[in-house]
Amino acid sequence: MEAVKKHYFSDLGVMLGRSMRHISRSLDTIVTVTIMPIAMMLLFVYVFGGAIQSGTDNYVNYLLPGILLIAIASGVSYTSFRLFTDVQRGIFERFHSMPISRSTLLWGHVLTSLVSNAISVVVIVLVALIMGFRSSAGILPWLAVAGILLLFTLALTWVAAIAGLSAKSVDGASAFSYPIIFLPFISSAFVPTGSMPTAVRIFAENQPVTAIVEAIRALLADQPVGNDIWVALMWCVGILFLAYIFAMRVYKKRV
């Protein structure tokens, strides 16, 4: 049993290293995942921030949670792209002809998404600190924020896996991320929902991004979270559960 585990984790390490090397060699991935969200944060804080009534004097504090979710949504689209590329090039068939654990191929991409998105989140938070972001939260709220972002990333990564394994074209593999990236704009990520028209406000207040943003914002401000954290966790776990089931079904059909 120990030999099997050791073999599995060594295979997984190889697959993880392979995917991470692909990211490090792709400049457009780094630019899109990290620099674009930072540019968006700079734009909203220094250009639009003065005209937006967010109910706080420090708009970057208000904005940061939404920017982090946009960065993650953008980052997982590359997981879909890399999976699609592996399928089209017959990489799965080549590896499956070797004595390696089959599931490590897929999990290598999933773990790469978690690692690369975690790096992006850290970089964006550091830039936000330079821009004036401040948090009075202690270690436990920060750990809770990290946990929510981890669940959110994992859930979207498995959604990306479905798209990457089942898409018929490169555009189709990446297209799933566009609605997800757009969702924060129809939420409380940039402005309070109370300023929105009734129909838009109802949608904004009942979609997953708003609950996740509000939970993270309250945790970072060291304020009572209320039901937002439970709603956020339910959304993340629910999406993760369904996406994992469908992704594994598609993967089994492919291999």
Side-chain angles (χ1 to χ4, degrees):
M1 187 66 179
E2 290 182 2
V4 173
K5 288 182 178 180
K6 183 178 180 180
H7 181 68
Y8 179 86
F9 286 113
S10 63
D11 291 345
L12 183 59
V14 172
M15 295 299 112
L16 175 60
R18 170 181 174 268
S19 296
M20 289 301 298
R21 283 192 295 273
H22 287 174
I23 289 181
S24 65
R25 295 169 184 169
S26 178
L27 182 60
D28 62 324
T29 301
I30 298 170
V31 170
T32 303
V33 175
T34 306
I35 297 181
M36 288 303 295
I38 290 174
M40 188 179 299
M41 185 165 58
L42 291 169
L43 177 67
F44 272 88
V45 171
Y46 294 124
V47 178
F48 302 138
I52 296 176
Q53 301 298 322
S54 62
T56 177
D57 294 332
N58 193 346
Y59 184 56
V60 68
N61 279 22
Y62 187 90
L63 181 68
L64 181 59
I67 294 295
L68 295 178
L69 298 193
I70 289 175
I72 291 170
S74 177
V76 298
S77 66
Y78 284 93
T79 301
S80 180
F81 172 77
R82 289 190 297 271
L83 276 169
F84 174 80
T85 301
D86 279 358
V87 170
Q88 294 301 307
R89 293 178 178 176
I91 299 298
F92 284 168
E93 286 78 5
R94 295 180 191 177
F95 279 121
H96 289 162
S97 66
M98 303 176 185
I100 65 172
S101 301
R102 290 192 172 188
S103 63
T104 58
L105 293 171
L106 189 56
W107 273 104
H109 285 285
V110 172
L111 293 180
T112 298
S113 175
L114 294 179
V115 173
S116 61
N117 279 292
I119 294 172
S120 297
V121 165
V122 170
V123 172
I124 293 170
V125 170
L126 291 175
V127 173
L129 287 169
I130 296 173
M131 295 172 61
F133 167 73
R134 295 295 181 268
S135 173
S136 56
I139 184 64
L140 290 180
W142 272 101
L143 289 175
V145 169
I148 293 172
L149 292 176
L150 178 67
L151 271 177
F152 182 74
T153 305
L154 194 57
L156 291 194
T157 299
W158 283 107
V159 174
I162 297 172
L165 292 169
S166 59
K168 304 299 182 182
S169 67
V170 174
D171 293 336
S174 302
F176 87 97
S177 66
Y178 300 148
I180 298 174
I181 294 173
F182 187 68
L183 274 181
F185 292 95
I186 314 178
S187 72
S188 63
F190 294 91
V191 296
T193 57
S195 62
M196 301 176 182
T198 303
V200 178
R201 185 178 71 250
I202 292 173
F203 174 80
E205 291 176 349
N206 293 280
Q207 58 121 320
V209 170
T210 293
I212 297 170
V213 163
E214 293 293 343
I216 294 175
R217 189 177 288 145
L219 287 167
L220 293 178
D222 200 22
Q223 296 177 351
V225 183
N227 292 327
D228 286 326
I229 190 169
W230 302 114
V231 175
L233 291 174
M234 287 175 62
W235 273 112
C236 290
V237 172
I239 294 171
L240 171 60
F241 177 75
L242 293 175
Y244 175 79
I245 290 176
F246 283 106
M248 292 307 296
R249 287 181 179 178
V250 175
Y251 180 64
K252 289 177 180 178
K253 288 181 181 179
R254 281 289 186 181
V255 302

Coordinates of all heavy atoms in Angstrom, one line a residue, residues 80 84-85 87-88 162-175 250 253-254:
S80 N -8.4 25.0 -18.6 CA -9.2 24.5 -19.7 C -8.4 24.4 -21.0 O -8.5 23.4 -21.7 CB -10.5 25.3 -19.9 OG -11.3 24.8 -20.9
F84 N -7.4 21.0 -23.1 CA -7.8 20.8 -24.4 C -6.6 20.5 -25.3 O -6.7 19.6 -26.2 CB -8.5 22.1 -24.9 CG -8.9 22.1 -26.4 CD1 -10.0 21.4 -26.9 CD2 -8.0 22.7 -27.3 CE1 -10.3 21.4 -28.2 CE2 -8.3 22.7 -28.7 CZ -9.5 22.0 -29.1
T85 N -5.5 21.2 -25.1 CA -4.3 21.0 -25.9 C -3.8 19.6 -25.7 O -3.4 18.9 -26.7 CB -3.2 22.0 -25.5 OG1 -3.7 23.3 -25.7 CG2 -2.0 21.8 -26.3
V87 N -5.5 16.9 -24.9 CA -6.4 16.0 -25.6 C -6.2 16.0 -27.1 O -6.1 14.9 -27.7 CB -7.9 16.4 -25.3 CG1 -8.8 15.6 -26.2 CG2 -8.2 16.2 -23.8
Q88 N -6.0 17.2 -27.7 CA -5.9 17.3 -29.1 C -4.5 16.7 -29.6 O -4.4 16.2 -30.7 CB -6.0 18.8 -29.5 CG -7.3 19.4 -29.4 CD -8.4 18.6 -30.1 OE1 -8.3 18.4 -31.3 NE2 -9.5 18.2 -29.4
I162 N -14.2 20.4 -17.2 CA -15.3 19.9 -18.1 C -15.1 20.5 -19.5 O -15.2 19.8 -20.5 CB -16.6 20.2 -17.5 CG1 -16.8 19.5 -16.1 CG2 -17.8 19.9 -18.4 CD1 -18.0 20.0 -15.4
A163 N -14.9 21.8 -19.5 CA -14.8 22.6 -20.8 C -13.6 22.1 -21.6 O -13.7 21.9 -22.8 CB -14.7 24.1 -20.5
G164 N -12.5 21.9 -20.9 CA -11.3 21.5 -21.6 C -11.3 20.1 -22.2 O -10.8 19.9 -23.3
L165 N -12.0 19.2 -21.5 CA -12.1 17.8 -21.9 C -13.2 17.6 -23.0 O -13.1 16.7 -23.8 CB -12.4 16.9 -20.8 CG -11.2 16.8 -19.7 CD1 -11.7 16.1 -18.5 CD2 -10.0 16.0 -20.3
S166 N -14.2 18.5 -23.0 CA -15.3 18.3 -23.9 C -15.4 19.2 -25.1 O -16.2 19.0 -26.0 CB -16.6 18.3 -23.1 OG -16.8 19.6 -22.5
A167 N -14.6 20.3 -25.1 CA -14.6 21.3 -26.1 C -14.2 20.8 -27.5 O -13.4 19.8 -27.5 CB -13.8 22.5 -25.7
K168 N -14.7 21.4 -28.5 CA -14.4 21.0 -29.9 C -13.3 21.9 -30.5 O -12.8 21.6 -31.6 CB -15.6 20.9 -30.8 CG -16.7 20.0 -30.3 CD -16.3 18.6 -30.2 CE -17.4 17.7 -29.7 NZ -17.0 16.3 -29.5
S169 N -13.1 23.0 -29.9 CA -12.1 24.0 -30.4 C -11.5 24.8 -29.2 O -11.9 24.7 -28.1 CB -12.9 25.0 -31.3 OG -13.7 25.8 -30.6
V170 N -10.4 25.5 -29.6 CA -9.7 26.3 -28.5 C -10.6 27.3 -28.0 O -10.6 27.6 -26.8 CB -8.4 26.9 -29.1 CG1 -7.8 27.8 -28.1 CG2 -7.4 25.8 -29.6
D171 N -11.3 28.0 -28.9 CA -12.3 29.1 -28.4 C -13.3 28.5 -27.5 O -13.7 29.1 -26.5 CB -12.9 29.7 -29.6 CG -11.9 30.5 -30.4 OD1 -10.9 30.9 -29.9 OD2 -12.2 30.7 -31.6
G172 N -13.8 27.3 -27.8 CA -14.8 26.7 -26.9 C -14.3 26.3 -25.6 O -15.0 26.4 -24.6
A173 N -13.0 25.9 -25.5 CA -12.4 25.5 -24.3 C -12.3 26.7 -23.3 O -12.3 26.6 -22.1 CB -11.0 24.9 -24.5
S174 N -12.1 27.9 -23.8 CA -11.9 29.1 -23.0 C -13.1 29.9 -22.8 O -13.2 30.7 -21.9 CB -10.8 30.0 -23.6 OG -9.6 29.3 -23.8
A175 N -14.1 29.7 -23.7 CA -15.3 30.6 -23.6 C -16.1 30.5 -22.3 O -16.8 31.4 -22.0 CB -16.2 30.2 -24.8
V250 N -16.6 12.9 -17.9 CA -16.1 13.3 -19.2 C -14.7 12.7 -19.4 O -14.3 12.2 -20.5 CB -16.1 14.8 -19.4 CG1 -15.4 15.2 -20.7 CG2 -17.5 15.4 -19.4
K253 N -14.7 9.0 -20.2 CA -15.1 8.8 -21.6 C -13.9 9.1 -22.5 O -13.7 8.4 -23.6 CB -16.2 9.7 -22.0 CG -17.6 9.3 -21.4 CD -18.7 10.2 -21.8 CE -20.0 9.8 -21.2 NZ -21.1 10.7 -21.6
R254 N -13.1 10.1 -22.2 CA -12.0 10.5 -23.0 C -10.8 9.4 -23.0 O -10.2 9.2 -24.0 CB -11.4 11.8 -22.5 CG -12.2 13.0 -23.0 CD -12.0 13.2 -24.5 NE -12.6 14.4 -25.0 CZ -12.5 14.8 -26.3 NH1 -11.9 14.1 -27.2 NH2 -13.1 15.9 -26.6

